[in-house]
Amino acid sequence: MSSVPSSSVQTTSTDGESRSAHLVLVTASAACALIVLDTNVVAVSLPAIARTFHAGFADVEWVVSAYMVAFAACLLPSGGLADRFGRKTMLLAGLGIFALASLGCGLALSVQMLDIARAVKGLGAALLLTSALAIIANTFHGGPSRERAWAFWGACMGVATTVAPLAGGVITQWLGWRWIFLLNLPVCAMLAWSAWKTVTPSANPQAGPLDIAGGLLFGLSLALGIWGLVGTQTDGWDSRMTALRFAGSAVLMLAFIWVERGRTHPMIDLALFRQARFVGAVLAMFGYAACAQVMMTFLPLYLQNAFAFSAVAAGLGMLPFAMAMIAGPYIGRALSTRVRSGALLSLGLTLIGVGNLLTAIVAGTGHYGLVAIGMVVTGCGAGVLNGDTQKAIVACVPPERTGMASGISTTTRFTAIVTSVGVLGAVLASRTRSAFDATPVVTAAGGHHFDSTFMSRVLAGDVASATANLSDAMRMVVSEAARASFASGFGAALDVAGVIALVIAIGVWVLVTPREAKVARGL
């Protein structure tokens, strides 16, 4: 194992933390928080974007998915770039690309242009996030200082999650959704200045050559898989195009694994997956992202559709989930002194599963207070996992490979999110369609006014446009039926997410807990 490069930031005070290390932690955590803030702000603005471009549900999903696919696809190569060319250099490059892409998003003239700019933004975010996480891991090498650093990082993510919905609602309703992207420009400029002044250059002097082929294979596989999931809403699950997309994704993923097995310096060290502890930590990250974080995409749509909330009201309505996420990392830190990592990860996933199922039960009741209780339970579980999953994954690798570990961790997180958006979005759309078709108003009308375009606009949060051609009396009845149907679809998606979280909680317990017990006994 190689030693940490001498150019890495070192902590020198008696408690392992120096003033310079604190400044680096604040800068790197703020850069990560910018990504969380931007992602969740956009979720609140999706109905407004749909109205501007007369977009359907699949189009709205791609506003999220184009960013997430590019993000997840570029995370592994970005980790290698950070190790090879320097974490500070890649942090600054990421901020520059993120800022330029934000400008493109703000000036987009069509939903297609917005999607392209969002994909470029995903590249910038990947460079930004992996380098920032590697900087934190290299600055705080172990002990209480690292525990405090990851707790602070987790709290920053929680604060960003808390502020994002309300900020997104205020900006969307009072300034317009384009300013959600344009306001990133001064923030990126300030972060770049801070990084230039505070972060000391560091890299892995033994980093191998870049794995371009592996990066392309992984990215194309992920993109084809998500295209297949989103495309089911128009092509159907049993269509030839859907089958071809999924088959192509599987073939490319197998090719990626084959290429990585033959690399001397792979993007992913596949040998790590022989460690049960590492597999359990990655699985916990996947479950957390797929079953909790992805709800940040659908919660704003649910609140604006089912409750007819404005953008600002929807932002306020998401605060119970977000506030619980702030407390979660500190709860996890307190529990970590009493329980082992595997038990803590399983507990967080169990809370997410129970919270999702509770919310699903009351989603169609029309009582926001009951929904908020489920949000709090899910948010607590998500907060517990937010810092601990990252910490558990990075702890399995030597310090000089922290860039690679950060790439695996964040790739798992955002691959889970974008996959879950596709899967749960398909569940949401299918259940909403079937519930709406079963309503008396649709049965009486024979479905004449309610084709796939109508339902797509309802799902995207543009009920007004979908019902514009109906009479006033009919519009009111149909709008009410559409809102109730969307609540039913949202509940079905939460049911799926809740069950998945509970199953993964059991898997993490089985994988991690026995090994930790053996280590504790010195076996």
Side-chain angles (χ1 to χ4, degrees):
M1 181 186 300
S2 301
S3 61
V4 178
S6 59
S7 57
S8 298
V9 178
Q10 303 292 330
T11 55
T12 57
S13 62
T14 56
D15 65 353
E17 297 175 325
S18 65
R19 181 174 180 275
S20 62
H22 281 300
L23 292 175
V24 170
L25 177 62
V26 170
T27 300
S29 297
C32 295
L34 173 63
I35 297 170
V36 174
L37 184 68
D38 181 81
T39 301
N40 294 330
V41 163
V42 170
V44 179
S45 71
L46 291 178
I49 293 173
R51 288 190 292 270
T52 297
F53 296 123
H54 302 291
F57 186 54
D59 297 320
V60 166
E61 278 193 288
W62 273 115
V63 173
V64 175
S65 297
Y67 172 79
M68 290 295 184
V69 168
F71 197 173
C74 295
L75 281 169
L76 290 174
S78 296
L81 288 170
D83 282 342
R84 182 178 179 82
F85 296 111
R87 289 102 190 197
K88 179 177 180 177
T89 300
M90 290 300 102
L91 181 69
L92 294 172
L95 284 167
I97 295 172
F98 193 88
L100 289 174
S102 294
L103 179 62
C105 291
L107 300 178
L109 300 178
S110 67
V111 70
Q112 290 77 20
M113 291 178 64
L114 178 60
D115 289 343
I116 292 172
R118 289 279 289 167
V120 176
K121 196 174 187 181
L123 167 61
L127 292 171
L128 176 59
L129 188 62
T130 51
S131 55
L133 291 174
I135 286 168
I136 294 173
N138 269 271
T139 303
F140 301 91
H141 301 145
S145 63
R146 174 169 279 199
E147 295 283 339
R148 286 190 291 268
W150 286 123
F152 177 82
W153 177 85
C156 287
M157 301 305 101
V159 170
T161 303
T162 304
V163 172
L166 182 56
V170 169
I171 295 170
T172 298
Q173 191 165 320
W174 294 347
L175 298 178
W177 63 264
R178 295 181 185 276
W179 284 97
I180 284 175
F181 303 107
L182 296 176
L183 288 175
N184 284 334
L185 300 179
V187 176
C188 287
M190 288 188 290
L191 284 174
W193 177 84
S194 179
W196 181 265
K197 293 290 185 180
T198 63
V199 178
T200 302
S202 66
N204 177 13
Q206 298 179 341
L210 297 177
D211 187 359
I212 298 175
L216 287 174
L217 287 170
F218 180 83
L220 290 173
S221 172
L222 183 61
L224 268 179
I226 300 307
W227 189 11
L229 287 169
V230 175
T232 59
Q233 296 174 35
T234 54
D235 299 328
W237 286 96
D238 57 351
S239 73
R240 182 181 179 184
M241 287 305 301
T242 298
L244 287 173
R245 290 164 188 159
F246 285 141
S249 176
V251 169
L252 289 171
M253 183 56 66
L254 290 174
F256 167 74
I257 294 173
W258 181 77
V259 167
E260 292 305 292
R261 286 173 61 89
R263 296 288 190 193
T264 305
H265 299 281
M267 288 190 301
I268 295 180
D269 184 358
L270 296 176
L272 287 171
F273 289 90
R274 299 171 187 165
Q275 301 179 32
R277 180 187 173 195
F278 181 80
V279 173
V282 171
L283 188 60
M285 174 67 86
F286 187 92
Y288 154 59
C291 303
Q293 279 205 342
V294 74
M295 285 296 105
M296 295 300 291
T297 301
F298 294 125
L299 269 173
L301 284 170
Y302 166 69
L303 294 174
Q304 292 179 68
N305 268 350
F307 290 97
F309 280 2
S310 66
V312 172
L316 288 169
M318 294 174 67
L319 286 179
F321 179 92
M323 293 295 290
M325 278 198 71
I326 291 181
Y330 292 97
I331 295 173
R333 182 181 171 189
L335 290 174
S336 66
T337 62
R338 297 174 176 84
V339 300
R340 297 190 182 103
S341 174
L344 190 60
L345 295 177
S346 296
L347 173 63
L349 286 164
T350 300
L351 287 172
I352 289 172
V354 171
N356 280 338
L357 293 175
L358 286 174
T359 308
I361 291 172
V362 300
T365 63
H367 296 292
Y368 170 77
L370 296 176
V371 174
I373 293 173
M375 289 186 202
V376 170
V377 177
T378 302
C380 284
V384 168
L385 291 173
N386 196 23
D388 279 270
T389 45
Q390 174 72 28
K391 180 176 64 178
I393 292 173
V394 172
C396 295
V397 302
E400 67 269 13
R401 297 306 309 277
T402 52
M404 181 270 296
S406 296
I408 293 176
S409 173
T410 47
T411 297
T412 301
R413 177 184 297 217
F414 290 100
T415 298
I417 292 175
V418 73
T419 302
S420 191
V421 166
V423 172
L424 297 183
V427 173
L428 170 62
S430 176
R431 175 57 186 166
T432 301
R433 173 85 258 184
S434 62
F436 186 72
D437 286 344
T439 58
V441 65
V442 178
T443 304
H448 177 67
H449 297 289
F450 313 118
D451 57 10
S452 59
T453 300
F454 170 89
M455 185 52 61
S456 183
R457 289 183 177 177
V458 167
L459 288 164
D462 193 7
V463 176
S465 174
T467 59
N469 295 327
L470 302 177
S471 65
D472 290 343
M474 188 70 166
R475 185 183 303 118
M476 183 178 299
V477 174
V478 170
S479 296
E480 196 63 33
R483 297 187 196 287
S485 300
F486 190 94
S488 177
F490 182 70
L494 284 178
D495 279 332
V496 174
V499 171
I500 291 173
L502 293 177
V503 170
I504 293 178
I506 296 171
V508 171
W509 178 274
V510 170
L511 283 168
V512 180
T513 305
R515 278 76 182 179
E516 289 183 329
K518 288 183 179 180
V519 172
R521 293 195 301 266
L523 299 178

